[in-house]
Amino acid sequence: MKPDTDALLSNRRETVTKPRAKRAPKKETAENEVRSAIALKEVETVSEAPLPKAPPDIEFDGAALRKFPQRFINRELSWLQFNRRVLEEASNTHHPLLEQLRFLSISAENLDEFFMVRVAGLRGQVRSDVATMSQDGLSPQEQLAKISAAVSHLASDQQRRWRELRDILLEEGIVLTDGAGLTKAEASWLEDYFLNHVFPVLTPLAIDPAHPFPFIPNLGSSIALKLVRQSDGKVLNALIRLPSRGERFIRLPDFAETGATRFIALEQMIVLFTSRLFPGYDVQGQGAFRVIRDSDIEVEEEAEDLVRLFETALKQRRRGSVIRLEVEAAMPEDLRLFVAEESEVSHDEVFVVEGMMGLRDLSQLVALERPDLKFKPYNPRFPERIREHSGDCFAAIREKDIIVHHPYESFDAVVQFLHQAARDPNVVAIKQTLYRTSSNSPIVAALAEAAEAGKSVTALVELKARFDEEANIRWARDLERAGAQVVFGFIELKTHAKLSMVVRREGNQLITYCHVGTGNYHPITARIYTDLSYFTADPVIGRDVSRIFNFVTGYAEPAELERMAVSPLTLKKRLLQHIEEEIAHAKAGRPGAIWGKCNSLVDADIIDALYDASAAGVQIDLIVRGICCLRPGIKGLSENIRVKSIVGRFLEHTRIYAFGNGHGMPNPKAHVYISSADLMSRNLDRRVEALMPIVNPTVHQQVLDQIMLANLLDNEQSWTVLPDGTSQRVVPAKGEEPFNAHKYFMTNPSLSGRGKSLKTSSPKALAKRGQR
C-alpha cells in the first residue's frame, strides 16, 4: 500500500477490533416498530435441521468461531442496526431541524416495510411449521424473539426523539396541538372544516351481527369506541375508519397573527366531534389503532401470463393477513382485546404505542416551506465534457469514456443520452432495462418516441420490482402501444442489471454506445441516491452488453463474455477468483488488498472467502451501508477486515469492488469494478446483475482514488461496524481534520466528466488533505 494512503487509513484500523461490552437484554415490552426494503422469499438459509451453536465463551474467539454459524451476524438484526443509524441521524445537530425530523420519518417508514415483508415472512414460516434455520443458526421463532426485543428498544427511542423534536419545533413556531390546546377561534374553524371536508367521507360503524368488523387496509388507521346509548344505557362497540387519502395533519389558520404554524392530527380532530357521528351516545372508552399487513407476493413460477398474475397478486397484497396491530396506550383493555380478536392477531402481534402512531406521516411536516430549517438546496453539475461538445453525448463518449457521479452530477446526462438517441436519424436500435423508474418517466418517454420514429426498441421491464410492479405494468403497456418490443425477462430471476445500449450507424459501421449503471433509471431517486453512470463506446463492452440482453430475451447463456460478468452465471465466480488472487499475493509476500462498497453484505460464500483473505493477511476495507452479516475485527477470524457505514444527506447506493492485484491500494494496476449487485445470495444467485470492469485510466482513477478514498476518509457521517453487529459513530480524533464525503463531492468536480483537470480536486490533493 502506498505510504501516504496507509497513513490516511491507519486511524481507522486501530479503532475497529475491540468488541463493545454487551448490553444486558432489555425487558420485552408491548411496543414495537420495524421496516426494510427486502423480500422474505430471499431469506438466506442454509439448512432445515438445527445447526450447532457456538458456546457463549467463544463468541469472539475467531479460530473457534470460524466453525460455527455464529460467525455470521443475523441479517434481520443487522438491518435493525442500520435503521438505528438512520434514527440516530434524527439527533444529529449538524442537520437542520426539519431534516432531523425527516430521518425520524424515514426510520419509521423503514420499520413498517420491515414488518410488511421480513417479519411477515418469518411469521408465515412459524405458522406453517417451517423450521428452516438462518445462516447464523437461528430458527424463525428465535429470530422473531430477538427482533421483538430489538424493535421494542428502537421504537421507544423513536418516540423519545419525537417528544424532543416536538419541543424544539415549538421553539421554531411549528406547533402540533391537541383538542385541549385549541383557541376559541380555532375550535370554531375546525368544526366548520370537519363538517365540510371530513364528515362526508367518514362512515361511523356500530359493530354487531348486522354490521361486521370491516376490512382495514394495510397501514390503515381507525378509532375504536365503546359507546353507551343515552336512552337505555345499552353498550356497543363502534369503529371510525380514517380516510386513507388526504393529510394526516390539518393546518390551522393563524388567527392571532403570531407567525406560528399550528397543526392538529386528523384522529384528534375526529375525536373532538364524535358526537356528530354518534348522536345520542356517550363515549365510555376509545383509542386509535393501526394495522400492518403481509405485503409479500407469492409468484407462481409456471404462470402462463405473468402480467395477469401480477395484477391479481397486487389485489391480494391489499388483503394480506395482519402481522402487526398498533394500539394507543389510552385504549381500554377490553376494547383492545376486541380489536385484536376481530383483526385475528395473537397477543404477540399487538403493540401498545406510548406516543404517536404512524411516525412516518411526519414527512408531511417536513414539507413545510421553511428553507431555514432544511438542507441548502443543491443543484447537481452537468458533465463538462458533454457541454464542450455542445450537448452531443455521442461525440463526448467517442472522445473518452465518461463516468457520471450522481447526485453530484446530473441524471439529465442519462436522459439526454436516450433523448438524443430517440431523435438521431442515424440511431437504428435501442435496448434498455427498466427495474424502477418515476411517474411520467422521461426514460420511458424517450423509448416511446424512438419506437414511434420507427427505431428498433427493446425494453426489458422487470415486473418483480418490489412495490413498483403496478407502475411497471403500466409502462410496459405504454411502450407496447408505441411499438416497442417489451420483454419481461425470467420468471425465476429478477433482472436487476442497469443497462442501456444504443446502436448508431456511423459511415459504413455500426457503433454501439452503452450506459452501465449502479442505480435505477429513476430521475427522482437519482437526486438523493449516490450512484455511478458509466458511458462507453468500447466495442468489447458493446458486445458484452448485447450478449447480456440476448441472455435475458433469448435464454442464450453468455458464456463468451469478454470483460463483463453476469449473475447468476459468472459474477460471483469472478469476485471469489479475485479474492483468491489477493490471498495468493499475500502468501507470496506481496501486498494483498480489497476495497468494497455496497448496500448489503450477506452471502455466506463471499463472507467466508473474506475471512480466509483476512487470515492470509489481506487488508480489507469495506463500506456497507445496510445489512452486514460479516463480523469484522475479531482476532483469528477477521482482524484485517474493517467495515464502516455512511449515513447522511444522500443515500449511499453505489456498488464498487476493487482488488489490489499485488500492488496494495490504491494503485493504477488494481482491478476495479462497478456493479448493480450487492453481495447477497439473491443478487449473486437469483438475479440478473452486471459487473463492469473499469479499465479506462481516468475513470479508474476517479472511482478508486477519488470516490472510494473519499468514502474511506469520511469521519463526519460514518459509523464503525463492531464485531457484535452494533455500530459506533466515528468521531474525528484530536487534531484530525473533519472530512465529509458528501460535502467534498458537492464542491469538487469529478475527473472523467469534465474537460480539463482541476488540481484542487484531484485524488492526490484529496490524499494530502486527509494526511494533514
Side-chain angles (χ1 to χ4, degrees), residues 118 135-136 208 270 348 429 436 468 500 508 535 625 748:
R118 303 300 304 181
Q135 70 179 17
D136 59 307
D208 60 20
I270 292 174
D348 60 338
R436 298 187 197 278
D468 277 340
S500 183
N508 296 323
F535 295 95
R625 185 196 75 211
N748 289 275

Side-chain angles (χ1 to χ4, degrees), residues 159-176:
Q159 295 295 338
R160 174 192 54 76
R161 185 54 186 160
W162 163 235
R163 289 191 293 270
E164 294 169 352
L165 286 174
R166 185 169 177 167
D167 291 341
I168 303 171
L169 287 166
L170 181 61
E171 296 173 7
E172 293 290 343
I174 302 172
V175 184
L176 192 58

Side-chain angles (χ1 to χ4, degrees), residues 272-288:
L272 289 176
F273 302 108
T274 302
S275 60
R276 297 294 189 116
L277 296 164
F278 294 98
Y281 285 86
D282 294 325
V283 177
Q284 194 174 78
Q286 63 186 10

Side-chain angles (χ1 to χ4, degrees), residues 555-572:
Y555 295 175
E557 291 193 6
E560 71 279 22
L561 287 180
E562 297 172 65
R563 284 194 201 150
M564 297 178 69
V566 62
S567 65
L569 303 176
T570 58
L571 196 157
K572 185 174 180 178

Side-chain angles (χ1 to χ4, degrees), residues 518 532 571 574-575 578-579 593-601 606 610 621-624 653-660 665 670-680 683-684 689-694 700 703-704 708:
T518 64
L532 294 176
L571 196 157
R574 179 79 63 88
L575 294 177
H578 279 303
I579 295 173
I594 297 172
W595 284 4
K597 184 176 185 297
C598 59
N599 302 318
S600 300
L601 171 54
I606 296 290
L610 291 172
D621 287 280
L622 305 175
I623 305 162
V624 184
H653 196 249
T654 315
R655 290 94 166 193
I656 301 171
Y657 306 112
F659 307 89
M665 287 283 204
H671 297 294
V672 178
Y673 296 89
I674 64 171
S675 182
S676 59
D678 284 312
L679 300 179
M680 305 176 76
N683 299 92
L684 303 177
E689 306 272 15
L691 184 72
M692 173 76 183
I694 303 298
H700 185 286
V703 173
L704 189 63
M708 280 299 297

Side-chain angles (χ1 to χ4, degrees), residues 425-579:
N426 293 317
V427 168
V428 297
I430 302 173
K431 294 185 180 182
Q432 175 78 45
T433 62
L434 286 174
Y435 185 73
R436 298 187 197 278
T437 189
S438 60
S439 59
N440 302 317
S441 168
I443 301 293
V444 174
L447 296 175
E449 181 181 354
E452 289 167 350
K455 303 181 191 303
S456 174
V457 176
T458 301
L460 212 166
V461 179
E462 178 51 68
L463 293 182
K464 299 185 289 294
R466 178 165 301 281
F467 301 115
D468 277 340
E469 301 92 344
E470 198 164 10
N472 287 3
I473 291 171
R474 186 170 65 252
W475 296 138
R477 288 182 170 159
D478 289 346
L479 287 169
E480 283 182 326
R481 281 193 292 269
Q485 180 173 316
V486 176
V487 181
F488 297 117
F490 299 97
I491 292 178
E492 71 276 13
L493 301 174
K494 283 186 179 182
T495 302
H496 193 251
K498 323 299 184 187
L499 303 171
S500 183
M501 175 179 143
V502 174
V503 181
R504 188 172 187 267
R505 188 177 301 282
E506 298 180 7
N508 296 323
Q509 301 181 72
L510 289 179
I511 306 298
T512 300
Y513 294 84
C514 295
H515 170 268
V516 181
T518 64
N520 298 306
Y521 291 96
H522 198 307
I524 305 303
T525 59
R527 297 173 188 169
I528 55 173
Y529 285 27
T530 71
D531 271 307
L532 294 176
S533 283
Y534 183 51
F535 295 95
T536 184
D538 186 329
V540 176
I541 297 303
R543 291 193 294 269
D544 278 355
V545 170
S546 183
R547 288 163 181 150
I548 295 173
F549 273 108
N550 292 345
F551 170 48
V552 181
T553 61
Y555 295 175
E557 291 193 6
E560 71 279 22
L561 287 180
E562 297 172 65
R563 284 194 201 150
M564 297 178 69
V566 62
S567 65
L569 303 176
T570 58
L571 196 157
K572 185 174 180 178
K573 292 177 185 176
R574 179 79 63 88
L575 294 177
L576 290 173
Q577 176 187 337
H578 279 303
I579 295 173

Side-chain angles (χ1 to χ4, degrees), residues 125-256:
Q125 288 186 325
V126 172
R127 285 194 299 269
S128 302
D129 295 323
V130 174
T132 303
M133 311 296 284
S134 61
Q135 70 179 17
D136 59 307
L138 296 179
S139 69
Q141 192 64 59
E142 289 173 322
Q143 292 183 77
L144 286 171
K146 288 180 177 290
I147 287 170
S148 179
V151 165
S152 175
H153 184 51
L154 184 62
S156 296
D157 287 347
Q158 283 182 329
Q159 295 295 338
R160 174 192 54 76
R161 185 54 186 160
W162 163 235
R163 289 191 293 270
E164 294 169 352
L165 286 174
R166 185 169 177 167
D167 291 341
I168 303 171
L169 287 166
L170 181 61
E171 296 173 7
E172 293 290 343
I174 302 172
V175 184
L176 192 58
T177 186
D178 54 25
L182 293 174
T183 66
K184 187 175 180 179
E186 287 174 336
S188 176
W189 179 91
L190 195 63
E191 182 175 20
D192 182 69
Y193 180 91
F194 172 80
L195 292 174
N196 288 286
H197 298 279
V198 180
F199 181 80
V201 300
L202 296 179
T203 302
L205 186 66
I207 308 299
D208 60 20
H211 303 84
F213 198 87
F215 174 78
I216 309 296
N218 184 37
L219 302 178
S221 297
S222 300
I223 299 172
L225 305 104
K226 186 176 182 179
L227 303 174
V228 179
R229 191 155 58 194
Q230 295 169 353
S231 60
D232 58 8
K234 182 179 179 180
V235 177
L236 79 155
N237 291 328
L239 199 71
I240 305 171
R241 263 183 56 177
L242 272 62
S244 57
R245 297 183 181 274
E247 296 181 335
R248 166 87 181 275
F249 303 107
I250 296 135
R251 186 168 180 172
L252 301 168
D254 184 14
F255 291 106

